[in-house]
Amino acid sequence: MSDMTIRQVLGRSVWDSRGRPTVEVEVHLEGGGSGRAIAPSGASTGSGEALDRRDGGSRLGGYGVDAAVAAVNTQIRAALIGRDAGDQEGVDQCLVTLDGTGNRQVLGGNAMIATSMAVAHAAAAGSGQPLWRYLGERTLAGEEPCTLPVPEVQIFGGGAHAEGCIDLQDFMVVPFGAGSFREAMEWTAEVYRAAGSLMDRRGRRCGVADEGGYWPAFDSNEEAIAALATAVEDAGFSTEKEVGLSLDIAATQFYREGRYCLGKDRRTLDVGQWYEQLARWLSEFPICMIEDPFHESDLANHAALTEAFGDRVQIVGDDLCVTHTDNILACQRQRACNTLLCKPNQVGTLSEALAAHQMAKEFGWNTVVSARSGETEDVTIVHLALGWGIQQLKVGSFARSERMAKWNEALRIEEALGNKARYAGRAPFAR
Ligand SMILES: C=C(OP(=O)(O)O)C(=O)O
Ligand SMILES: [Mg+2]
């Protein structure tokens, strides 16, 4: 037994930003260190994702987590007490074996990821270090973790995050030209304010979407993309040199029987027409990132878009890859994308999410660590970005504190690094 030996594991239910219960786990070590983490949860999920364990029938809208919490307080607790919290891979492998399924339906992906993250927090606390530094020592081969990621911040929300008010899911900005992370957030705030004024002038502001961007009343996706570009310019920035546009299309959400169904009148496009539409947007607007442009199973069209635009646009795989090495390998074989969206709860444990990032890196892709649309005050992903050397972070926006908790944590880390802090800036975009 050592100071890093796990002494206790406690699960409980807390609330997320959609008013649904989620799993929180606390891990206590023999030496007195402890850590806590909360599982996030998606709304537009890929079909290969780890399953959240939900229960309760009509109670809590069927979103209860009593069984997942019970799994933490019985099976998981029994399996982890006495294990070394410093052996993250061993702990995660133990969870994977205990669950015994590919989609984590026995323990629940929510129970597993909250536990996996809480163990990392406890181990960092036990070793007297902030999590980003603790992870960096283990993953960055001697390099100091000092690169702050480029933020990818939602300005308008649509799709499954705003009850389909507009088809595309996230209209975001990427302040790659800033000189520091602090400046990147200042620029983003200016764009956010400019977008709000623009929407007020046009009578388009309807509230706030799930990730903190404005809930828009635009007539078309194209109007929203153009408004985003105008907001960047209104704020005084160059879309070419300072603040790029990024879209999460989340195309699987509006794909029905071989066609993409768009707009209030549900106009449908076949795959060829949809490809042409995307190619036109990528040619006409200063878009530097595009996520899940086609249905998650359509690797061929992802590959065609990557072939045509991948030298200047990040083609990001979210539902396409679900943070899973098998899917990343399949995408690499077809050159279906060039950037991984890494959401640890899609796969279930930190070690598997790290393996996904490392595989993507080996293939020459970039990685973006990402929050989910259902979030909490948990800031683990910020520490993963720093500690795993990931240069981009997608979270959400100013109107919601569960998003700002993450951006503010990154500001604190930048301050703690002092003059060692670097900002990833253009680096991830140098293709
Ligand atoms: C963050 C996203 O949304 P969700 O968490 O709903 O999958 C996304 O699709 O990238
Ligand atoms: Mg996505």
Side-chain angles (χ1 to χ4, degrees):
M1 195 185 296
S2 81
D3 283 359
M4 295 288 265
T5 304
I6 296 174
R7 179 173 61 77
Q8 181 59 293
V9 179
L10 295 169
R12 68 173 68 86
S13 147
V14 296
W15 298 96
D16 78 6
S17 55
R18 288 200 187 93
R20 293 175 184 165
T22 186
V23 181
E24 175 171 272
V25 175
E26 227 172 81
V27 169
H28 296 267
L29 308 184
E30 290 292 348
S34 68
R36 191 171 70 193
I38 309 176
S41 147
S44 72
T45 48
S47 60
E49 290 196 22
L51 291 180
D52 280 355
R53 194 164 169 194
R54 300 279 180 188
D55 53 64
S58 60
R59 196 178 68 89
L60 299 171
Y63 283 100
V65 290
D66 292 355
V69 168
V72 174
N73 288 329
T74 54
Q75 290 149 280
I76 292 179
R77 178 185 295 166
L80 294 193
I81 287 178
R83 290 196 78 104
D84 175 11
D87 176 16
Q88 184 78 41
E89 270 188 41
V91 165
D92 288 340
Q93 189 51 52
C94 173
L95 293 172
V96 167
T97 308
L98 193 61
D99 175 81
T101 65
N103 64 3
R104 281 77 221 260
Q105 62 180 327
V106 172
L107 298 175
N110 43 2
M112 287 175 68
I113 194 63
T115 305
S116 179
M117 296 193 304
V119 167
H121 279 283
S127 68
Q129 299 189 82
L131 181 58
W132 56 274
R133 197 180 284 285
Y134 171 84
L135 293 171
E137 270 183 8
R138 279 153 187 79
T139 44
L140 295 184
E143 255 179 68
E144 212 187 344
C146 53
T147 303
L148 275 295
V150 181
E152 191 186 3
V153 186
Q154 191 193 60
I155 304 296
F156 308 131
H161 299 168
E163 291 181 12
C165 67
I166 198 161
D167 309 292
L168 311 191
Q169 183 177 286
D170 296 311
F171 300 79
M172 298 169 284
V173 291
V174 181
F176 54 74
S180 65
F181 182 80
R182 175 167 292 278
E183 187 175 50
M185 291 311 293
E186 284 167 9
W187 287 12
T188 307
E190 293 192 24
V191 174
Y192 185 76
R193 278 192 288 273
S197 308
L198 178 152
M199 294 176 83
D200 287 342
R201 283 197 307 276
R202 298 187 189 174
R204 299 295 205 196
R205 195 204 293 222
C206 294
V208 172
D210 282 5
E211 295 203 24
Y214 298 109
W215 179 306
F218 293 120
D219 287 333
S220 68
N221 296 298
E222 193 154 319
E223 186 191 351
I225 303 171
L228 187 61
T230 305
V232 172
E233 284 156 11
D234 285 354
F237 299 109
S238 152
T239 51
E240 298 299 330
K241 297 199 177 97
E242 293 174 318
V243 180
L245 310 190
S246 169
L247 301 176
D248 182 358
I249 307 289
T252 304
Q253 293 289 318
F254 52 89
Y255 180 86
R256 305 276 177 278
E257 295 166 1
R259 298 182 72 87
Y260 292 91
C261 305
L262 296 154
K264 294 188 182 108
D265 50 0
R266 308 321 288 165
R267 189 169 53 95
T268 70
L269 300 182
D270 68 23
V271 176
Q273 293 167 319
W274 178 237
Y275 183 96
E276 289 309 316
Q277 172 73 90
L278 291 171
R280 197 165 59 72
W281 286 340
L282 290 177
S283 305
E284 290 178 4
F285 293 104
I287 297 166
C288 58
M289 301 176 70
I290 188 163
E291 183 177 325
D292 286 346
F294 297 96
H295 185 271
E296 63 179 37
S297 66
D298 183 358
L299 269 59
N301 275 294
H302 277 96
L305 204 72
T306 303
E307 166 76 23
F309 294 94
D311 59 335
R312 66 173 181 84
V313 178
Q314 289 189 301
I315 315 290
V316 185
D318 173 13
D319 297 350
L320 186 66
C321 297
V322 288
T323 315
H324 206 295
T325 49
D326 291 352
N327 297 40
I328 295 167
L329 191 57
C331 285
Q332 173 63 11
R333 288 203 174 112
Q334 293 205 37
R335 304 285 190 272
C337 62
N338 59 27
T339 301
L340 170 70
L341 198 79
C342 179
K343 293 166 162 171
N345 82 319
Q346 279 184 326
V347 64
T349 64
L350 285 188
S351 302
E352 291 164 294
L354 176 59
H357 160 59
Q358 286 172 332
M359 178 181 272
K361 190 171 171 191
E362 233 173 77
F363 294 152
W365 303 10
N366 288 117
T367 299
V368 183
V369 192
S370 174
R372 300 308 304 252
S373 52
E375 272 290 341
T376 65
E377 69 271 27
D378 188 283
V379 294
T380 309
I381 54 168
V382 182
H383 292 256
L384 301 183
L386 265 286
W388 290 354
I390 293 177
Q391 297 184 328
Q392 292 174 265
L393 180 60
K394 173 183 175 185
V395 172
S397 204
F398 292 94
R400 302 193 63 131
S401 295
E402 76 280 0
R403 317 286 146 186
M404 296 322 295
K406 286 137 183 91
W407 298 130
N408 290 341
E409 182 76 351
L411 286 173
R412 286 180 207 107
I413 297 173
E414 185 177 49
E415 183 186 284
L417 279 163
N419 57 17
K420 285 190 193 150
R422 287 200 307 265
Y423 176 55
R426 289 176 185 284
F429 299 90
R431 307 204 65 79

